[in-house]
Amino acid sequence: MRILYFSDIHQNFPVLERLPEADLVLIGGDFTNFGTPQDFREAVRLVGARFPHFLAVAGNLDPREADAILEETGHWLPPRQFSSHSLNLMGLSGSNLCPCSTPFQWDDQEMARQLDALPPFALDILVTHAPPMHSGADLLPNGLSVGSAAIARFSAQRAPRLHLCGHIHEAAGCFSVGSTTVVNCGALGQEGRHALIHWSSPQEAPQVSLHTCL
């Protein structure tokens, strides 16, 4: 199976035409730049025109209503167990608090409480807009780690085979955290950055490669 993952579109929709086909398309949020619900709905329509069956979380620059719009349109990857293509998936929209106020952000300690309350379930792929803290996928150029401690703790506890994230454009790469491969593919809206994942079965190690298409 081939999985296409990208994040941080930031309204650069023409680049979608350059992306390859895949069996499963996952998106890590930031469809818009401080977009309104109407902007977000239009963004979902444009992405769906290219990839009709994509699954996604929203980013911190998307509106608070984004999850409801994704759910309504059949594209939401929810914060609970979700099955697709014989894989157990879970998503989490928004991000931990940013230095400047953004539309879809949350308190990390409260998010930790919410994640702790989830029942146990097997998890193959975790998709979060915010990267886990101290993973390498959350490093700013000055070396500061700005990821979510709540997400890092949850990912460590559930140990998905893949943890796909975005948000920190400068921290693109693949990182090993315990038994989990953490992938921040960078921003699609900048140089068309995306990841291709080849995965024969959940019992085998997924093969991840990062690409640009601009």
Side-chain angles (χ1 to χ4, degrees):
M1 178 174 60
R2 182 156 87 159
I3 301 170
L4 170 64
Y5 173 66
F6 56 91
S7 184
D8 297 85
I9 306 168
H10 295 296
Q11 297 178 289
N12 184 12
F13 302 113
V15 73
L16 295 170
E17 297 303 321
R18 303 191 182 197
L19 293 174
E21 299 294 333
D23 302 298
L24 175 62
V25 177
L26 301 174
I27 303 175
D30 273 0
F31 289 68
T32 66
N33 290 310
F34 294 90
T36 65
Q38 292 76 17
D39 294 333
F40 187 81
R41 190 177 294 277
E42 176 63 8
V44 168
R45 187 191 69 80
L46 290 170
V47 176
R50 176 67 179 88
F51 298 110
H53 305 294
F54 76 86
L55 294 171
V57 299
N60 66 303
L61 295 186
D62 295 321
R64 276 281 180 176
E65 298 86 350
D67 274 354
I69 294 169
L70 288 170
E71 183 176 22
E72 173 194 331
T73 54
H75 297 296
W76 191 34
L77 193 52
R80 60 178 182 269
Q81 186 178 20
F82 183 93
S83 295
S84 179
H85 292 73
S86 300
L87 295 171
N88 290 321
L89 311 173
M90 182 186 135
L92 182 65
S93 295
S95 78
N96 49 309
L97 296 178
C98 303
C100 59
S101 180
T102 58
F104 202 156
Q105 59 185 32
W106 28 256
D107 177 82
D108 216 35
Q109 292 184 343
E110 175 57 29
M111 181 54 66
R113 286 190 287 271
Q114 293 182 34
L115 292 173
D116 286 345
L118 290 173
F121 54 83
L123 185 58
D124 297 309
I125 301 178
L126 175 63
V127 181
T128 64
H129 180 65
M133 179 174 275
H134 301 310
S135 62
D138 68 324
L139 282 181
L140 296 178
N142 64 5
L144 186 64
S145 181
V146 294
S148 164
I151 289 175
R153 176 181 169 185
F154 181 79
S155 187
Q157 289 173 340
R158 301 302 176 103
R161 299 296 297 275
L162 279 177
H163 184 164
L164 308 178
C165 59
H167 189 44
I168 307 302
H169 302 179
E170 308 92 330
C174 297
F175 309 88
S176 294
V177 180
S179 61
T180 298
T181 299
V182 179
V183 179
N184 180 345
C185 59
L188 180 75
Q190 297 174 346
E191 301 181 338
R193 293 181 177 274
H194 61 281
L196 286 174
I197 301 152
H198 295 270
W199 202 351
S200 298
S201 73
Q203 289 73 41
E204 298 184 17
Q207 304 298 312
V208 182
S209 56
L210 300 182
H211 303 269
T212 61
C213 62
L214 292 182

